[in-house]
Amino acid sequence: MASTFMGLETAKRGLVAQQSALYTTGNNISNANTLGYTRQRVDLQQTTSYPSVGTNAPKIAGQIGTGVEATTVTRLREGFLDTQYRSENSKLGYWENRSSALSNLETIMNEPSDSGLSASMDSFWSSLQDFASDPQNAGARAVVRQRGIAVADTFNYLYKTVSAEKSNVENEIGVSEKAVNTILSQLDALNQQIAAVEPNGYLPNDLYDKRDSLLDDLSTYAKIKVSYESTGGNGLAQAEGKAIVSLVNDDGTEVAKLVDANGYNELNVNKNTAETAVASISVGGTTVDINNFDSTGKLKSIVESYGYQDSNGDIKGIYNDMLAELDNLAYTFATQFNAVHEAGMSPNEIAAGADSVISFFADSKSADGSITSRDGFASRITISDAITNSLDNIANASGTNLSSATLGDATVATALAEIINNKYDYGDNSEQATFRNYFEGVIGSMAVSAQEASKMFSNSTTLQQTVENKRMSVSSVSLDEEMTNMIQYQQAYNASARMISLTDELLDTIINGLRR
Amino acid sequence: MRVTQSMVSANSLRNISSSFNKLNDLSNQVSSGKKITKPSDDPVVAMKGMFYRSNLSEVEQYQRNLSEGYLWMDNSEASLEQANEGLQRIRELLVKGKNDTNSEAERTAIAQEIEEIKKDLVTVANTKVNGKYAFHGTDISTPLVTDGDPPQVAANATDPSIDNYTVQVSSGINLKINVSPTAFSQEMFDVVQGIQEKMENNATDGLDDLLSRLDTVTNNLTTERSELGARYNRLELVETRLDSQEVLANKVLSDNEDVDMEKAITNLSVQESVHNAALSVAAKIIQTSLIDFLR
């Protein structure tokens, strides 16, 4: 025989359970727009039926249900989607950064246009042609000098702007390093908080959400692998435990542990001794050579933009490669131009009756202006002092026959113009190309990389969003659903309350109705 | 699949912004008139664009070089014409002076006229174009002939190394635009001087010999003139070719990177309606939820 008051207890349990479900619904609605929030659900469970089995159990017809209890509040989340999301997010981080770096470079190079290097080279060529058709004209000479200065200035400008971009990226390395380390320290702190809560049988859903958000952020920088370690104690089965985060290469091999159960390891990007390129990456005590670091993500892209030391000790990188190409162009062009110019006869040399060595281009950093070093030459190319001092030092006549060298002889002036169209080994790799072809090649390969990066950026955005959509489908708050739940729980609450007043009426019947 | 408000609004926002992006690209195309704004939009178009630009600027430059050629040739032609007339007049005077009917005074008058023509020939031989001596090959800074009796032609006039004053008319092709310094030879001035002296001295011997030498000299000048004419024709041919090349280079450049306006504007209006549709649909579905229908 069940207790007279059993109905009250069952209804009360209903009230309490529905109430907690309602409050959780309220919490879901409040957090509908909170970043990283995972919708929660109260797990309702029947309480043990009466009577339970035993030798002294009362014999009644069947077991009667005793109501409901709220066991846990759990997050609705799919761990597999998180892994997928983070892997896509790493790729997105890589391509986003790379495409923006290349896009910056494109803007700096400003080709094809009427104001880039090829345009200023075209103008220089035109001025040489004008000069060749009228070699005595001081005006034509002055234009050649000015356009020559413009070519040198364009090289200087491009070199300096690309270098400035490179040093911006250097700052970005520092910022990213700091951002990663902040995330790592936060992750560690959360791990410790979670370890303090879980053994008491609670699920710290808010801390889990924060940790998952941080892991998402971290995955932008590099590919990570997350595993969990139980915190022990009285923990529930659903308790996640401490997150152990490793930095992994694309093939899945672990590079280093970023966060483990006891703490976190700081990530540092180490430069080479000259401080011009990245040499290695270290996590805590582990140092990885940059050539063995193959973890797709923003960090890798920044390193590739800034420059890194490859296994031969050469410095590679988006900006460094462009700087080297500018050097190739400036150095080869200037030396070839000078060779022809030095062999030619200028009005001053004709007047003196002797062929002296007069260069047209010079190296602003060398003492005598001679061009000897290819490295960084694009930043130093300038017009030689001789040309700056006198327009009549610009050669026009052939120097092979001193007696017949005349002011109207345009052999060398024409040859100077031809240099732009002649093939030379610009890349220092035994491949012959004209200035224009070589530069077109440089711009072309940059454009192809930029195009690839921007396509991959848009691809990885789509992929990341697809996964994000799936994840939101599982975890995000639907207001319609919450409203429906609200009605459902509210009605159940109302009905439980009605049950109490019904029980009250029943008791009234017994207590007051049976008096006479 | 479970769909939530935040998914709908995020997706709508993304679609609207991607549609807006396309709208921006198309309006850029229409307003700039170019298919691409940066090389990565289409690397091939960009590379070709660089090449075609250089090509066009080359053609334009060669056209400019041509005008220098025309200037020289027109001037040289006029001067040769004048020199030729002078030589013809000397021939007439010589034939006239040969007649024994001429008195000494008449011969002196003839000699005086020849003297003037001789001076004129010197001036012609030292014609300047743009401040440069036109008939002295590449040695443009010194006169070809120094006045005297007879006038002296510069020693280097026969030096072949100064013969060619050229302009480049297309890649690797140089066209000679001057008349060789040999057009005005020492022989020409010697003959003229010889005739003048005979007339001054009232002598008639050896005039036939001078006449035939004069004819040789005149022939030489005429040959130079017709050669100049032939080269002038070539210059005109080159000009015609460069003109059509310029049109072609412009066309190729434009075909390569200029946008097809009809197409771009059509695409723009299509994209505009797509964008409007996206906005209006998003505005409709984001607003409503179950709450609107609960009493």
Side-chain angles (χ1 to χ4, degrees):
Chain A
M1 182 64 197
S3 152
T4 320
F5 299 104
M6 183 178 154
L8 274 178
E9 178 60 24
T10 309
K12 190 198 87 187
R13 285 182 183 176
L15 278 179
V16 172
Q18 302 306 330
Q19 199 178 30
S20 67
L22 263 177
Y23 288 166
T24 303
T25 303
N27 186 41
N28 280 343
I29 294 175
S30 308
N31 283 301
N33 292 327
T34 307
L35 194 73
Y37 179 75
T38 311
R39 69 188 169 112
Q40 297 174 3
R41 189 182 56 196
V42 176
D43 289 326
L44 297 179
Q45 190 183 317
Q46 287 188 52
T47 43
T48 324
S49 303
Y50 177 82
S52 44
V53 184
T55 45
N56 60 346
K59 292 284 177 276
I60 56 169
Q63 283 184 311
I64 296 179
T66 57
V68 66
E69 65 173 346
T71 48
T72 49
V73 182
T74 49
R75 301 190 303 158
L76 290 168
R77 200 174 175 104
E78 180 72 69
F80 173 64
L81 289 175
D82 283 338
T83 315
Q84 236 182 341
Y85 177 85
R86 283 165 199 157
S87 137
E88 295 304 334
N89 207 23
S90 303
K91 289 176 199 155
L92 179 63
Y94 176 80
W95 290 111
E96 182 175 20
N97 190 277
R98 187 175 171 83
S99 112
S100 108
L102 281 161
S103 159
N104 283 349
L105 193 59
E106 272 188 307
T107 317
I108 296 170
M109 298 311 289
N110 193 19
E111 294 287 352
S113 75
D114 298 326
S115 52
L117 178 61
S118 60
S120 93
M121 212 57 182
D122 281 350
S123 315
F124 187 48
W125 178 84
S126 283
S127 72
L128 286 167
Q129 280 284 337
D130 280 335
F131 169 53
S133 39
D134 192 357
Q136 200 197 14
N137 190 331
R141 287 174 182 275
V143 174
V144 167
R145 181 168 69 185
Q146 284 310 321
R147 297 262 170 89
I149 293 174
V151 166
D153 280 353
T154 310
F155 272 120
N156 297 164
Y157 167 78
L158 288 177
Y159 193 95
K160 276 168 195 155
T161 321
V162 174
S163 306
E165 200 60 34
K166 185 180 145 109
S167 50
N168 286 345
V169 176
E170 187 174 8
N171 295 338
E172 210 177 331
I173 291 183
V175 172
S176 301
E177 224 175 43
K178 211 170 163 192
V180 168
N181 289 331
T182 312
I183 292 175
L184 294 179
S185 86
Q186 282 176 310
L187 277 173
D188 181 47
L190 280 169
N191 265 349
Q192 305 314 323
Q193 288 181 42
I194 287 169
V197 176
E198 276 182 351
N200 299 317
Y202 289 113
L203 293 179
N205 289 329
D206 56 331
L207 299 180
Y208 292 158
D209 279 348
K210 270 186 205 158
R211 190 168 65 179
D212 281 333
S213 275
L214 284 171
L215 287 169
D216 287 351
D217 290 347
L218 185 62
S219 70
T220 312
Y221 290 95
K223 211 169 160 58
I224 52 167
K225 198 173 131 193
V226 184
S227 56
Y228 293 95
E229 191 180 295
S230 164
T231 47
N234 231 348
L236 295 171
Q238 295 100 317
E240 289 184 358
K242 286 180 175 176
I244 312 297
V245 186
S246 334
L247 179 66
V248 290
N249 276 336
D250 286 350
D251 59 6
T253 52
E254 184 181 292
V255 177
K257 283 246 186 304
L258 293 168
V259 180
D260 59 22
N262 306 318
Y264 71 100
N265 297 314
E266 280 216 357
L267 179 134
N268 284 304
V269 178
N270 310 317
K271 305 229 177 72
N272 60 359
T273 38
E275 297 265 311
T276 50
V278 174
S280 66
I281 284 189
S282 60
V283 179
T286 325
T287 301
V288 188
D289 187 87
I290 197 67
N291 294 295
N292 299 328
F293 176 73
D294 184 26
S295 177
T296 307
K298 190 175 170 184
L299 198 63
K300 190 179 166 198
S301 166
I302 296 176
V303 168
E304 281 178 0
S305 309
Y306 176 70
Y308 59 94
Q309 212 162 14
D310 73 0
S311 38
N312 301 328
D314 296 333
I315 295 171
K316 296 278 174 201
I318 294 176
Y319 295 120
N320 278 94
D321 291 352
M322 185 51 81
L323 292 176
E325 294 294 15
L326 285 173
D327 284 346
N328 283 340
L329 284 163
Y331 180 80
T332 312
F333 181 73
T335 46
Q336 296 293 348
F337 197 90
N338 277 354
V340 174
H341 194 268
E342 282 161 9
M345 296 282 282
S346 67
N348 284 341
E349 289 166 284
I350 293 170
D355 185 10
S356 50
V357 175
I358 299 176
S359 319
F360 189 89
F361 289 110
D363 187 330
S364 62
K365 289 277 149 57
S366 73
D368 57 350
S370 63
I371 301 169
T372 47
S373 153
R374 184 186 286 256
D375 196 26
F377 180 65
S379 66
R380 305 189 303 265
I381 181 172
T382 180
I383 299 293
S384 73
D385 290 342
I387 303 295
T388 315
N389 293 338
S390 168
L391 288 174
D392 284 342
N393 276 331
I394 301 177
N396 59 285
S398 162
T400 44
N401 186 354
L402 291 188
S403 60
S404 69
T406 49
L407 291 181
D409 182 1
T411 328
V412 163
T414 314
L416 288 174
E418 283 299 306
I419 289 172
I420 299 173
N421 292 328
N422 287 349
K423 291 189 171 182
Y424 299 108
D425 181 10
Y426 277 96
D428 203 15
N429 54 5
S430 310
E431 283 172 23
Q432 303 283 320
T434 68
F435 183 90
R436 284 172 179 145
N437 288 152
Y438 191 81
F439 189 50
E440 275 161 26
V442 170
I443 295 294
S445 59
M446 174 194 77
V448 170
S449 312
Q451 193 188 33
E452 188 209 4
S454 116
K455 278 186 179 160
M456 291 303 291
F457 172 40
S458 113
N459 280 353
S460 46
T461 310
T462 313
L463 283 172
Q464 189 240 28
Q465 278 165 356
T466 311
V467 181
E468 168 74 352
N469 242 342
K470 280 190 194 164
R471 205 162 73 152
M472 279 167 85
S473 174
V474 175
S475 303
S476 77
V477 176
S478 161
L479 289 178
D480 293 345
E481 186 183 300
E482 298 305 328
M483 289 306 294
T484 318
N485 286 346
M486 201 163 90
I487 295 168
Q488 204 180 325
Y489 294 134
Q490 188 190 1
Q491 297 299 4
Y493 183 86
N494 289 348
S496 294
R498 185 76 188 78
M499 192 64 207
I500 289 175
S501 65
L502 178 81
T503 317
D504 182 34
E505 279 171 33
L506 291 180
L507 291 172
D508 184 52
T509 310
I510 302 170
I511 298 166
N512 297 323
L514 295 180
R515 219 176 336 181
R516 279 179 248 139
Chain B
M1 181 159 156
R2 182 175 171 273
V3 179
T4 70
Q5 266 78 19
S6 49
M7 282 164 76
V8 172
S9 52
N11 281 337
S12 304
L13 188 63
R14 191 155 58 237
N15 289 335
I16 289 171
S17 87
S18 95
S19 137
F20 202 46
N21 226 342
K22 280 183 200 151
L23 207 56
N24 180 38
D25 284 349
L26 286 167
S27 84
N28 262 347
Q29 285 193 356
V30 172
S31 53
S32 70
K34 297 281 177 219
K35 276 185 213 161
I36 60 163
T37 46
K38 49 186 195 309
S40 60
D41 290 344
D42 192 333
V44 178
V45 167
M47 279 177 68
K48 280 186 173 170
M50 289 169 71
F51 173 74
Y52 292 145
R53 256 164 233 269
S54 298
N55 196 15
L56 179 63
S57 83
E58 271 184 23
V59 171
E60 284 169 351
Q61 180 58 41
Y62 290 135
Q63 281 176 326
R64 270 229 302 277
N65 291 357
L66 282 186
S67 44
E68 181 77 13
Y70 275 120
L71 182 71
W72 275 74
M73 287 195 174
D74 286 336
N75 273 302
S76 307
E77 164 67 22
S79 306
L80 287 184
E81 166 82 33
Q82 202 183 336
N84 197 35
E85 273 169 21
L87 290 177
Q88 289 301 335
R89 180 66 188 152
I90 293 176
R91 190 172 194 282
E92 280 166 30
L93 291 172
L94 172 61
V95 172
K96 190 180 162 194
K98 256 172 72 178
N99 288 330
D100 290 336
T101 53
N102 287 307
S103 66
E104 192 179 339
E106 278 170 320
R107 288 221 169 93
T108 314
I110 288 174
Q112 272 166 358
E113 190 175 349
I114 292 178
E115 163 76 17
E116 289 313 311
I117 295 174
K118 188 182 75 186
K119 280 187 179 151
D120 187 47
L121 280 176
V122 172
T123 319
V124 168
N126 289 340
T127 304
K128 279 184 165 182
V129 177
N130 249 350
K132 293 166 290 192
Y133 292 100
F135 293 105
H136 203 176
T138 60
D139 197 358
I140 50 175
S141 51
T142 48
L144 177 65
V145 181
T146 15
D147 211 353
D149 292 319
Q152 290 300 313
V153 173
N156 65 353
T158 49
D159 183 351
S161 70
I162 65 158
D163 190 24
N164 293 326
Y165 188 84
T166 60
V167 291
Q168 201 166 35
V169 290
S170 46
S171 185
I173 299 177
N174 291 309
L175 198 65
K176 179 179 172 186
I177 58 171
N178 65 326
V179 174
S180 296
T182 48
F184 295 91
S185 53
Q186 186 61 48
E187 167 76 356
M188 178 193 282
F189 294 102
D190 287 347
V191 170
V192 174
Q193 183 70 31
I195 298 170
Q196 188 192 341
E197 277 166 12
K198 290 282 180 202
M199 291 298 141
E200 274 167 2
N201 300 337
N202 201 12
T204 52
D205 60 305
L207 282 181
D208 284 335
D209 179 42
L210 279 171
L211 184 64
S212 78
R213 277 170 68 192
L214 181 66
D215 284 347
T216 317
V217 164
T218 315
N219 266 341
N220 178 32
L221 194 71
T222 319
T223 317
E224 286 292 345
R225 227 180 124 189
S226 38
E227 200 203 311
L228 180 68
R231 270 192 274 124
Y232 197 87
N233 280 347
R234 195 173 151 207
L235 199 67
E236 284 174 336
L237 278 178
V238 169
E239 188 185 22
T240 323
R241 204 192 63 218
L242 283 177
D243 283 348
S244 55
Q245 266 189 348
E246 189 195 5
V247 174
L248 203 70
N250 266 315
K251 184 179 175 301
V252 172
L253 183 66
S254 161
D255 283 352
N256 183 52
E257 56 189 49
D258 285 357
V259 83
D260 181 353
M261 271 300 169
E262 292 85 351
K263 211 163 130 189
I265 292 174
T266 314
N267 287 344
L268 184 68
S269 42
V270 169
Q271 190 55 44
E272 209 179 328
S273 34
V274 169
H275 188 59
N276 285 340
L279 284 175
S280 107
V281 168
K284 274 202 184 104
I285 54 170
I286 290 178
Q287 276 178 10
T288 50
S289 79
L290 187 59
I291 304 158
D292 298 305
F293 300 96
L294 296 174
R295 69 195 144 79

